Amino acid sequence: MNGDQITVLISGAGTATCQSVIKGLRKQTSYKLLRIITYDMNPENAGKFMSDEFCTVPAASDPDFMKRIGNIVRECKVDAVIPIVDWEFRKLSESREDFLKTLGCRIVISSPETVDICDDKLMMNRFLTGIGIHTPKVFSAGEAAKLSVPFIVKPQINGRGSIDVYKTRSREELAFYLKKIQNPLITECLEGEEFTIDLMFDFNSRPVAGLVRKRIETKGGLAYKAEVVLDDGALKEAYKIGEALRVIGPANMQFIKTASGNYFFDLNPRFSGALACTIGAGLNTPLLLLHILKQREIPPEDLNYKLVRMYRYWNEFFSQPD
């Protein structure tokens, strides 16, 4: 990476997360020689219209997936790959050292061990408990069946957003969802407000910046209305979690604020789906990532943000049929 010139390759062009990352990168003015390439399995997506170049790739489960990513990196002289799609994380994480050594390209993702903990909600629960962080209690099916209290039932592995996450109010509902969900995890249902923390860590897992936002309204696990708030205590806990877990690059964490304190229950080692709120508040974490990639000191003004509310709406691109 010479001067201000940098080429990034972002996955999941069809996702709101990828598109928010692009918006943040387009908004910044520190790196004017920035080239944005995106990829997706499906060529019919909005993100490709926001990119300088777009590539189609096979599914992450395809044996040729990493070969295709490597070819794009080589042919386009990509400096950094920014993973967005969770299904790809394990393969991309396993290839980090090889890409950096042979292609000079940084894959901005945490280690395979960290990715595994983030992907398995039971492992994450045990990890949080082990470092002294409050997290919802986990129950076995036998323990839960003896109690008449609300529970949260969700997939233990490969959970995405609010897909297959259910609140049960009776033993009958609990039994129904335990059969419906493959490899279910049962946790206590806590009463309180839900928050997300957007974070950035450097390549030594040191915290660079963070912002807490309240989830006012969600659809399919994606926040459509959100409010940035000040909560130094929660941010301090999130930094502790990220450092202990050895998170690299962007991450987002969820927690519930209850009368007895904050309970963390999820961590995604990537940019969040409601990143637009964080960028809109003035904390442009995609820009911070560019500073980290270029090994530059981050100007204090790039770490400032204001308290805002976000209200999302649809926008469109149009193209002529082939």
Side-chain angles (χ1 to χ4, degrees):
M1 291 182 283
N2 298 317
D4 291 341
Q5 187 171 352
I6 183 170
T7 298
V8 297
L9 176 64
I10 313 173
S11 75
T15 66
T17 305
C18 173
Q19 293 157 24
S20 292
V21 173
I22 296 173
K23 290 176 184 177
L25 293 175
R26 295 296 189 203
K27 189 174 185 179
Q28 61 83 31
T29 57
S30 298
Y31 301 91
K32 297 181 179 179
L33 300 178
L34 174 66
R35 181 184 175 204
I36 300 175
I37 306 172
T38 59
Y39 69 81
D40 202 293
M41 288 173 51
N42 186 350
E44 300 298 326
N45 66 78
K48 72 177 182 180
F49 296 103
M50 304 166 67
S51 315
D52 296 310
E53 298 176 44
F54 171 77
C55 305
T56 304
V57 302
S61 57
D62 191 299
D64 291 330
F65 172 74
M66 285 309 306
K67 180 179 179 181
R68 173 63 173 148
I69 301 302
N71 287 340
I72 296 172
V73 168
R74 188 178 297 105
E75 293 167 7
C76 299
K77 296 181 172 56
V78 173
D79 296 301
V81 178
I82 303 175
I84 300 296
V85 181
D86 302 62
W87 312 111
E88 304 171 351
F89 287 177
R90 196 57 163 79
K91 283 189 174 181
L92 288 169
S93 181
E94 291 172 346
S95 301
R96 293 181 313 158
E97 294 182 7
D98 180 58
F99 269 52
L100 188 59
K101 181 179 179 180
T102 62
L103 300 174
C105 174
R106 174 85 70 170
I107 300 180
V108 186
I109 191 70
S110 301
S111 70
E113 294 76 18
T114 299
V115 169
D116 285 346
I117 293 174
C118 293
D119 199 40
D120 188 317
K121 297 185 185 303
L122 180 57
M123 289 178 64
M124 175 59 70
N125 183 279
R126 291 170 175 169
F127 176 84
L128 293 174
T129 300
I131 61 171
I133 297 292
H134 291 306
T135 187
K137 184 179 179 181
V138 171
F139 296 89
S140 68
E143 290 173 330
K146 298 176 183 177
L147 302 173
S148 297
V149 297
F151 294 103
I152 297 296
V153 183
K154 56 188 175 182
Q156 177 182 330
I157 300 174
N158 294 329
R160 299 292 180 266
S162 61
I163 298 174
D164 283 337
V165 177
Y166 303 99
K167 178 178 179 180
T168 68
R169 297 171 177 82
S170 67
R171 294 178 181 178
E172 291 74 20
E173 283 188 347
L174 175 63
F176 173 81
Y177 289 118
L178 287 178
K179 293 179 180 178
K180 178 181 175 65
I181 300 173
Q182 185 177 7
N183 196 16
L185 182 70
I186 308 168
T187 69
E188 65 178 320
C189 181
L190 298 173
E191 295 297 328
E193 293 182 310
E194 288 195 28
F195 293 79
T196 295
I197 305 182
D198 281 334
L199 298 150
M200 180 60 66
F201 295 86
D202 66 17
F203 293 122
N204 292 310
S205 299
R206 292 176 300 211
V208 174
L211 176 150
V212 183
R213 51 184 167 81
K214 181 168 65 174
R215 303 175 69 172
I216 299 174
E217 182 179 334
T218 62
K219 296 180 181 179
L222 186 66
Y224 274 69
K225 298 178 184 177
E227 179 180 6
V228 176
V229 300
L230 295 177
D231 192 329
D232 291 338
L235 195 56
K236 184 178 180 180
E237 288 182 285
Y239 286 158
K240 175 181 177 179
I241 295 167
E243 289 182 287
L245 196 54
R246 303 295 299 166
V247 172
I248 289 175
N252 65 90
M253 300 183 194
Q254 277 72 51
F255 73 92
I256 296 177
K257 183 177 290 295
T258 74
S260 59
N262 299 329
Y263 285 74
F264 286 79
F265 60 92
D266 214 351
L267 186 153
N268 300 298
R270 56 165 171 77
F271 286 109
S272 69
L275 174 65
C277 182
T278 297
I279 296 173
L283 188 64
N284 191 340
T285 47
L287 168 60
L288 300 184
L289 179 56
L290 295 185
H291 288 323
I292 295 169
L293 288 166
K294 299 294 284 187
Q295 298 181 339
R296 293 185 179 176
E297 185 175 350
I298 298 176
E301 59 268 23
D302 287 346
L303 297 174
N304 295 331
Y305 60 87
K306 54 187 179 294
L307 304 182
V308 301
R309 279 192 175 188
M310 177 189 73
Y311 305 88
R312 303 184 102 162
Y313 66 96
W314 292 106
N315 202 357
E316 295 79 28
F317 287 101
F318 296 92
S319 66
Q320 295 296 319
D322 296 331

